[in-house]
């Protein structure tokens, strides 16, 4: 851990957000696990985020978190600062009739419903993604036939020094659960080009999608979303189930009986339980099926 004077307390006093010291990250991850960060900073808005980065010494480690899905923070926590965008970078606007701007902390389900109610169609699928716009942009999140970058025309980014700029979608290499662009920049907003829709139909589509998701996925248990990427031409869930791993548990982490590509926290699982189970599942699938499963979740922090 960093010493308190490595991160100036006075720095936070000049900002409008909220700083929490030695704050466990379990409260900010969808798995509900994770050790502490030296500080958690929840900015007031995008301008405050910019001010924060401009004042933060470059040597201080920085982690960005939205809803904390697709992220496993180890029990030892992280050095430095965790910047929480969910509930902070939450503006949605419509600069043009069919163009919607959503900041990185907006929940995917929120932007799906907002655009549907505005009579626009194209983002209904985002209702099925348990994350934020920032996370969806970073990994080209998708489900039920839709992918985030299919509708992106440009993005706003910010670098470690607090410099912001607008970049075209063509500045990024985009693939399945993969986005590569300029290094050391984070997404702070996305611009989505949509088409005219019918409000009632779009909201009904979202309702049906969520019903389908609730039937197929363990949404009532803390989880990190899909654990593994689907290998080419196959499904990770099928391979895991075929290997007899449904219901397999380590500690209080368990492979979901409902959907084999989900690992649930049954109450007080440790991050180490979840990580061990991820490694075990990948090993058994490799041995039984001869296929390597690559985690979709990012695993960070200290053991």
């Amino acid at each position: 851990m960093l010493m308190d004077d490595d991160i100036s307390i006075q720095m936070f006093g000049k900002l409008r957000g909220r700083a929490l010291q030695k704050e466990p990250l379990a409260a900010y991850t969808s798995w509900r696990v994770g050790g502490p960060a030296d500080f958690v900073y929840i900015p007031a808005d995008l301008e405050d985020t910019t001010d924060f980065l401009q004042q933060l010494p470059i040597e201080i480690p920085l982690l960005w978190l939205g809803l904390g899905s697709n992220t496993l923070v180890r029990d030892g926590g992280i050095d430095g600062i965790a910047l929480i965008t969910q509930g902070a970078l939450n503006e949605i606007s419509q600069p043009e009739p069919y163009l919607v701007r959503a900041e990185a902390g907006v929940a995917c389900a929120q932007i799906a419903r907002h655009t549907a109610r505005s009579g626009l169609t194209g983002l209904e699928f985002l209702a099925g993604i348990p994350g934020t716009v920032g996370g969806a942009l970073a990994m080209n999140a998708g489900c039920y036939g839709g992918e985030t970058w299919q509708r992106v025309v440009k993005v706003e980014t910010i670098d470690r020094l607090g410099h912001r700029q607008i970049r075209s979608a063509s500045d990024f290499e985009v693939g399945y659960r993969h986005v590569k662009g300029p290094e050391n920049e984070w997404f702070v907003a996305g611009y989505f080009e949509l088409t005219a829709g019918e409000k009632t139909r779009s909201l009904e589509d979202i309702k049906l999608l969520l019903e389908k998701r609730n039937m197929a996925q363990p949404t009532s248990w803390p989880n990190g979303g899909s654990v593994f990427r689907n290998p080419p031409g196959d499904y990770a869930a099928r391979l895991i189930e075929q290997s007899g791993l449904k219901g397999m548990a380590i500690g209080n982490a368990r492979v979901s009986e409902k959907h084999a590509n989900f690992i649930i926290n049954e109450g007080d699982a440790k991050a180490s339980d979840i990580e061990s189970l991820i490694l075990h599942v990948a090993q058994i699938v490799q041995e039984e099926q001869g296929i390597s499963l690559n985690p979709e979740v990012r695993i960070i922090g200290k053991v």
Side-chain angles (χ1 to χ4, degrees), residues 86-102:
Q86 198 273 328
L89 306 186
N90 58 2
E91 284 193 8
I92 303 174
S93 60
Q94 197 169 332
E96 297 176 17
Y98 298 107
L99 187 67
V100 173
R101 175 187 179 272

Side-chain angles (χ1 to χ4, degrees), residues 1-4 6 22 35-39 76-80 302:
M1 285 289 185
L2 300 172
M3 299 300 291
D4 291 347
D6 288 329
K22 301 294 189 288
D38 290 311
F39 282 91
I78 64 162
D79 289 330
K302 300 177 292 184

Side-chain angles (χ1 to χ4, degrees), residues 52 78 85 96 129 141 143 151 154 159 186 190 195 224 238 261:
F52 166 77
I78 64 162
T85 64
E96 297 176 17
I129 295 174
C143 65
R151 292 289 180 169
K154 58 184 177 180
D159 66 17
W186 293 272
T195 54
R238 188 196 72 81
N261 199 20

Side-chain angles (χ1 to χ4, degrees), residues 90-249:
N90 58 2
E91 284 193 8
I92 303 174
S93 60
Q94 197 169 332
E96 297 176 17
Y98 298 107
L99 187 67
V100 173
R101 175 187 179 272
E103 290 185 347
V106 173
C108 290
Q110 181 185 355
I111 186 64
R113 290 191 177 95
H114 178 95
T115 53
R117 289 177 183 136
S118 300
L120 299 172
T121 186
L123 293 183
E124 289 88 345
F125 74 93
L126 280 178
I129 295 174
T132 57
V133 167
L137 289 169
M139 64 174 294
N140 192 25
C143 65
Y144 302 114
E147 286 191 334
T148 303
W149 280 78
Q150 291 171 342
R151 292 289 180 169
V152 175
V153 291
K154 58 184 177 180
V155 294
E156 291 177 27
T157 66
I158 194 166
D159 66 17
R160 188 63 170 74
L161 299 176
H163 300 139
R164 283 159 49 188
Q165 58 186 307
I166 294 179
R167 292 191 178 278
S168 168
S170 60
D171 291 335
F172 297 85
E173 174 190 294
V174 178
Y176 170 66
R177 305 298 177 266
H178 166 81
V179 178
K180 183 179 181 182
E183 293 186 2
N184 301 314
E185 291 185 11
W186 293 272
F187 297 111
V188 291
Y191 291 75
F192 302 89
E193 189 170 53
L194 306 177
T195 54
E198 204 283 308
K199 175 181 174 180
T200 303
R201 180 175 178 178
S202 291
L203 290 173
E204 181 64 20
D205 287 345
I206 289 173
K207 179 184 176 184
L208 293 174
L209 184 152
L210 290 175
E211 288 174 354
K212 182 177 179 181
R213 176 173 170 247
N214 289 336
M215 288 185 66
Q217 298 176 11
T219 54
S220 59
W221 293 96
N223 68 82
S226 296
V227 175
F228 296 100
R229 291 180 172 87
N230 288 324
D234 210 335
Y235 294 95
R238 188 196 72 81
L239 294 166
I240 295 167
E241 184 171 358
Q242 190 71 24
S243 301
L245 292 165
K246 260 192 173 182
M248 170 72 193

Side-chain angles (χ1 to χ4, degrees), residues 255-272:
V255 176
S256 170
E257 297 276 8
K258 204 173 206 181
H259 193 306
N261 199 20
F262 283 69
I263 290 176
I264 60 174
N265 177 355
E266 293 194 304
D268 57 353
K270 297 179 180 178
S272 58

